Amino acid sequence: MSTTLQFLPSLSANLGILQLNNPASLNALTLEMIRSMTPILRQWQKTGVRATLMVGAPYEKNGKTKRSAFCAGGDVKKVYLAGIGKEDKSLTADFFREEYQLNHMIATQAPHLPQVSIWDGVVMGGGVGLSVHGKYRVATERTIFAMPETKIGLFPDVGGSWWIPRLKLYSQWKSGLVGGVGNYLALTGNRLAAEDLIYAGIATHYVKSEKLDDLKSALAESTTSTSDDPNGDCVAGVLMSFHDHNVDTKSSFLSQNRADI
């Protein structure tokens, strides 16, 4: 099993915590992180873990948080250097193959073992792949979401061609406007705030960052419950209890420009 300090797994009760720990690079995903995470997640899927929680480590300096990030994407610098022969050439093929295999493992995780991803800060590219296929995605007021690979001519990566066409706007039945948002995101790669993510159905919940510590504690506690079906989803109620229903989706960029899109 490969190990790296860039990925810190832990257990809190029956909650498996997957912490991305590469904060100086906004938790950019490396091959070492992928190879550490894959066997841990596979093991947890077979044991008594009832939910998984994926978070990113904040960048701190002099004891103060300077910026928050979930994951800014794959470590494309290393992939580029491998491509031009300045690193192990096998890295390029290995990185994408093993990254996609990990994405698929997350996407096919059993419904009674939900993954919760907390998008506090930057979440882009490979970071989207680690989380958007999971059951729950929590946005905060600090979330910055994008698929920037489309700006350099690449297709929507890490399973984007699967989830983007399946976006379901919560307001479609009210406005009669159907489609378009997925195409817009795929073609532009534009950055989205939390309000856009809730509007488009990409994020499932909105929680203010000041409540995240309480949310994490409540998620761990929920995995110890014996009153619920052990094969059921133990975190759904907790997430809804923390969800801020006052998030203003009507003022989001996507909502304001919906007709043009």
Side-chain angles (χ1 to χ4, degrees), residues 13-229:
N14 294 313
L15 178 69
I17 301 174
L18 306 158
Q19 181 173 14
L20 310 177
N21 189 47
N22 189 14
S25 299
L26 297 179
N27 297 316
L29 185 65
T30 65
L31 183 58
E32 292 77 16
M33 294 164 74
I34 294 170
R35 287 178 171 173
S36 294
M37 192 182 315
T38 298
I40 290 290
L41 186 58
R42 184 180 293 118
Q43 177 185 350
W44 285 351
Q45 290 178 347
K46 296 178 180 178
T47 60
V49 170
R50 296 192 62 192
T52 55
L53 173 65
M54 190 175 291
V55 297
Y59 176 67
E60 297 182 347
K61 188 174 182 180
N62 298 326
K64 295 183 178 180
T65 299
K66 293 296 183 180
R67 54 190 174 184
S68 299
F70 176 77
C71 175
D75 190 344
V76 293
K77 180 179 179 180
K78 278 195 173 182
V79 173
Y80 168 75
L81 291 174
I84 62 174
K86 293 187 176 181
E87 294 272 359
D88 182 357
K89 287 188 176 182
S90 66
L91 171 66
T92 304
D94 290 347
F95 179 86
F96 288 107
R97 181 181 64 254
E98 295 181 39
E99 180 189 24
Y100 296 161
Q101 289 172 342
L102 177 58
N103 295 158
H104 181 265
M105 182 186 300
I106 292 169
T108 56
Q109 193 160 297
H112 66 268
L113 179 60
Q115 174 172 299
V116 180
S117 299
I118 296 183
W119 286 346
D120 188 31
V122 175
V123 51
M124 297 183 180
V128 175
L130 289 176
S131 52
V132 77
H133 303 292
K135 193 171 184 179
Y136 300 117
R137 289 88 58 192
V138 180
T140 76
E141 76 279 4
R142 300 188 292 208
T143 302
I144 303 173
F145 177 103
M147 298 289 285
E149 64 272 17
T150 62
K151 286 184 177 292
I152 59 172
L154 187 65
F155 56 86
D157 200 11
V158 290
S161 58
W162 188 91
W163 66 264
I164 287 177
R166 290 168 171 79
L167 289 178
K168 295 180 179 180
L169 305 188
Y170 82 99
S171 58
Q172 281 183 351
W173 66 274
K174 292 182 180 179
S175 63
L177 295 170
V178 178
V181 170
N183 287 340
Y184 171 79
L185 297 179
L187 290 170
T188 66
N190 276 0
R191 296 184 176 190
L192 302 179
E195 294 81 5
D196 296 300
L197 296 171
I198 294 294
Y199 173 81
I202 302 172
T204 57
H205 300 83
Y206 175 76
V207 178
K208 292 183 178 179
S209 58
E210 63 192 34
K211 296 184 178 181
L212 290 180
D213 286 342
D214 291 338
L215 172 60
K216 294 172 187 177
S217 296
L219 289 171
E221 184 177 352
S222 73
T223 65
T224 66
S225 173
T226 57
S227 59
D228 298 327
D229 179 358

Side-chain angles (χ1 to χ4, degrees), residues 235-253:
V235 301
V238 171
L239 289 168
M240 188 53 65
S241 70
F242 277 84
H243 174 62
D244 186 348
H245 295 272
N246 295 319
V247 57
D248 187 8
T249 57
K250 291 183 178 180
S251 66
S252 69
F253 174 84

